[in-house]
């Protein structure tokens, strides 16, 4: 009888701990100092991607290192005067870097005369070095461009640029500093995107981040009908979106088929509108293809897995065309680095880790 009471007590205690962990994680997602956020950014000098820490400073610290105009543009999203700035007609050969953190942003060979009076480029040195968000100021709907490392405002992107991209990155000179070089090699690697939904997006980022050939990942929301949803709105289940991950990868290093394997090995494809402890359409699993080849490979992989005998129930993971991917709030990005203990508690407490270990064994990293 005593042994039975001890067992029942331990069982009830375990349930209470899981509930507390789950609630605590969802209600208090402020990152701890135990995990430092890092980014993979392209370095023109070394011609390679490097892992560097995200830069955060107080406004007072930025004011100590920036001129008044630089501060106005980069930290207050200001705009300098056209035709009256340092680089609008500059023609030297070299690299344009972020004035606040030194990140490589644009190459001189992608610069062109847009007749606007601001420096204009048709592509950045690498897609990971810059970020975007919607700007609805002044009654206009534009897309703002910012430095991925320090979030400094750079300018805006427009769809009226020259070939081969058709893009015009209209950038403030005050947000740039130029470094002259004799030869600047352009990064010609053609990266591709893959988009997956596997329940809680915290748990989907680590397995893809460690794959060789994956350049960058973001977690966010897709597949719904609401623009720019917040985490709270998606959690309500009314936006139609599901938590998802966007993967930027180099197809010369890792194939889409290999990414599909990583995806299948980190989800339960037999549960509809649910992944482990999380229930609702916002936790449905899905593969969102970006072209016909991805669609073909996704359908083939699902069919093959369904016929493998690994699962006793049919696979319900949806395969649909990719739509707009809305990046989640910054505190969700690489949450496993920002709050490693919370992340670990949730992954094990939700039942995800034990299920994956049971289904896939040593093929999956459970850390």
């Amino acid at each position: 009888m005593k042994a039975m009471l001890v067992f029942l007590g331990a069982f009830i205690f375990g349930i209470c701990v899981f509930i507390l962990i789950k609630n605590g994680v969802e209600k208090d997602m402020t990152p701890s100092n135990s995990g430092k956020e890092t980014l993979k950014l392209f370095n023109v000098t070394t011609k390679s991607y490097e892992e560097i820490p995200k830069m955060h400073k107080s406004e007072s610290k930025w004011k100590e290192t920036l001129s008044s105009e630089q501060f106005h543009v980069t930290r207050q999203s200001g705009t300098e005067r056209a035709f009256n700035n340092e680089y609008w007609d500059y023609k030297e050969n070299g690299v344009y870097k972020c004035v606040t953190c030194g990140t490589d942003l644009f190459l001189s060979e992608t610069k062109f005369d847009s007749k606007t009076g601001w420096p204009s480029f048709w592509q950045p040195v690498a897609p990971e070095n810059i970020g975007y968000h919607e700007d609805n100021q002044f009654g206009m709907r534009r897309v703002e461009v910012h430095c991925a490392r320090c979030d400094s405002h750079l300018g805006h992107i427009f769809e009226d640029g020259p070939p081969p991209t058709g893009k015009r990155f209209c950038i403030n000179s005050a947000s740039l500093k130029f470094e002259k070089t004799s030869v600047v090699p352009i990064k010609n690697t053609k990266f591709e995107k893959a988009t997956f939904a596997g329940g809680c997006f915290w748990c989907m980022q680590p397995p893809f981040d460690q794959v060789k050939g994956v350049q960058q990942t973001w977690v966010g929301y897709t597949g719904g009908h609401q623009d720019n949803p917040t985490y709270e709105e998606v959690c309500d289940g009314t936006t139609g979106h599901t938590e998802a991950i966007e993967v930027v990868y180099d197809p010369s290093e890792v194939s889409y088929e290999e990414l599909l394997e990583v995806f299948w090995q980190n989800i339960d494809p037999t549960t509809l509108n649910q992944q482990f402890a999380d229930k609702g359409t916002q936790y449905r699993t899905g593969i969102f293809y970006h072209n016909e080849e991805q669609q073909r490979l996704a359908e083939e992989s699902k069919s093959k897995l369904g016929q493998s005998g690994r699962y006793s129930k049919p696979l319900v993971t949806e395969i649909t065309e990719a739509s707009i991917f809305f990046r989640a709030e910054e505190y969700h990005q690489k949450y496993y680095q920002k709050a490693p203990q919370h992340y670990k508690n949730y992954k094990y407490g939700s039942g995800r880790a034990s299920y994956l270990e049971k289904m896939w064994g040593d093929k999956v990293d459970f850390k």
Side-chain angles (χ1 to χ4, degrees), residues 192-196 208 214 216-217 245-249 259:
E192 295 185 10
K193 286 183 180 180
T195 306
F196 305 106
F208 285 104
V214 168
Q216 186 62 280
T217 61
I245 180 170
E246 185 177 77
V247 180
V248 177
Y249 67 100
L259 296 180

Side-chain angles (χ1 to χ4, degrees), residues 289-349:
Y289 58 84
H290 292 266
N291 52 53
E292 292 183 356
E293 178 68 3
Q294 286 190 356
Q295 180 184 14
R296 181 184 67 81
L297 293 172
E299 291 174 346
E300 287 180 359
S301 69
K302 180 180 178 181
S303 176
K304 182 178 178 180
L305 185 61
Q307 297 172 18
S308 68
R310 185 178 293 273
Y311 299 98
S312 59
K313 295 186 291 185
L315 276 58
V316 296
T317 298
E318 65 181 61
I319 299 176
T320 54
E321 186 175 4
S323 56
I324 298 177
F325 180 88
F326 298 96
R327 290 187 193 176
E329 295 82 347
E330 181 56 37
Y331 63 83
H332 287 300
Q333 305 300 332
K334 300 191 187 298
Y335 190 77
Y336 68 98
Q337 293 179 352
K338 291 184 170 78
Q341 191 58 53
H342 267 177
Y343 164 74
K344 185 176 181 179
N345 290 343
Y346 171 74
K347 184 173 182 179
Y348 280 84

Side-chain angles (χ1 to χ4, degrees), residues 2-20:
K2 183 178 180 180
M4 180 62 73
L5 290 175
V6 170
F7 172 78
L8 288 174
F11 179 74
I12 294 171
F13 176 77
I15 293 176
C16 292
V17 168
F18 168 67
I19 293 172
L20 287 173

Side-chain angles (χ1 to χ4, degrees), residues 67-337:
S67 69
S68 58
E69 183 176 33
Q70 289 171 339
F71 180 82
H72 173 63
V73 170
T74 62
R75 310 314 305 176
Q76 298 178 322
S77 299
T79 301
E80 65 195 5
R81 293 179 61 187
F83 301 102
N84 189 26
N85 54 78
E86 187 173 3
Y87 298 124
W88 78 272
D89 197 30
Y90 201 70
K91 294 182 173 63
E92 292 290 336
N93 207 26
V95 184
Y96 292 87
K97 298 173 175 282
C98 175
V99 73
T100 62
C101 71
T103 295
D104 295 338
L105 298 174
F106 300 95
L107 301 178
S108 57
E109 64 178 278
T110 67
K111 191 171 184 285
F112 68 98
D113 183 6
S114 63
K115 312 296 183 184
T116 62
W118 289 286
S120 298
F121 306 86
W122 47 264
Q123 79 172 24
V125 298
E128 297 77 20
N129 289 30
I130 60 173
Y132 309 89
H133 73 259
E134 190 172 306
D135 176 7
N136 294 310
Q137 295 185 81
F138 310 116
M140 298 182 287
R141 186 172 185 176
R142 299 179 294 174
V143 177
E144 181 184 342
V145 181
H146 61 263
C147 173
R149 186 184 183 199
C150 65
D151 296 323
S152 288
H153 172 75
L154 303 175
H156 294 84
I157 181 173
F158 301 94
E159 302 295 325
D160 57 4
T165 65
K167 309 290 185 183
R168 172 169 61 94
F169 290 84
C170 186
I171 308 298
N172 289 281
S173 289
S175 65
L176 303 171
K177 64 179 178 181
F178 180 78
E179 184 176 289
K180 187 175 181 180
T181 59
S182 56
V183 178
V184 179
I186 191 168
K187 183 83 169 87
N188 287 319
T189 302
K190 186 179 185 298
F191 298 123
E192 295 185 10
K193 286 183 180 180
T195 306
F196 305 106
C200 175
F201 48 26
W202 295 346
C203 298
M204 294 302 292
Q205 204 160 22
F208 285 104
D209 278 352
Q210 62 188 345
V211 174
K212 182 181 179 182
V214 168
Q215 306 300 317
Q216 186 62 280
T217 61
W218 291 276
V219 297
Y221 320 108
T222 195
H225 52 77
Q226 180 174 322
D227 288 342
N228 302 305
T230 65
Y231 176 69
E232 290 74 18
E233 290 171 336
V234 173
C235 283
D236 285 341
T238 58
T239 66
H241 289 294
T242 182
E243 291 191 11
I245 180 170
E246 185 177 77
V247 180
V248 177
Y249 67 100
D250 183 347
S252 69
E253 293 189 68
V254 61
S255 67
Y256 187 67
E257 295 97 315
E258 291 172 305
L259 296 180
L260 285 169
E261 287 185 20
V262 174
F263 169 69
W264 292 121
Q265 292 171 7
N266 282 276
I267 68 167
D268 176 1
T270 67
T271 54
L272 183 65
N273 298 328
Q274 176 181 351
Q275 280 296 280
F276 313 105
D278 297 314
K279 298 180 181 181
T281 57
Q282 66 271 29
Y283 297 112
R284 68 187 185 274
T285 60
I287 300 172
F288 301 90
Y289 58 84
H290 292 266
N291 52 53
E292 292 183 356
E293 178 68 3
Q294 286 190 356
Q295 180 184 14
R296 181 184 67 81
L297 293 172
E299 291 174 346
E300 287 180 359
S301 69
K302 180 180 178 181
S303 176
K304 182 178 178 180
L305 185 61
Q307 297 172 18
S308 68
R310 185 178 293 273
Y311 299 98
S312 59
K313 295 186 291 185
L315 276 58
V316 296
T317 298
E318 65 181 61
I319 299 176
T320 54
E321 186 175 4
S323 56
I324 298 177
F325 180 88
F326 298 96
R327 290 187 193 176
E329 295 82 347
E330 181 56 37
Y331 63 83
H332 287 300
Q333 305 300 332
K334 300 191 187 298
Y335 190 77
Y336 68 98
Q337 293 179 352

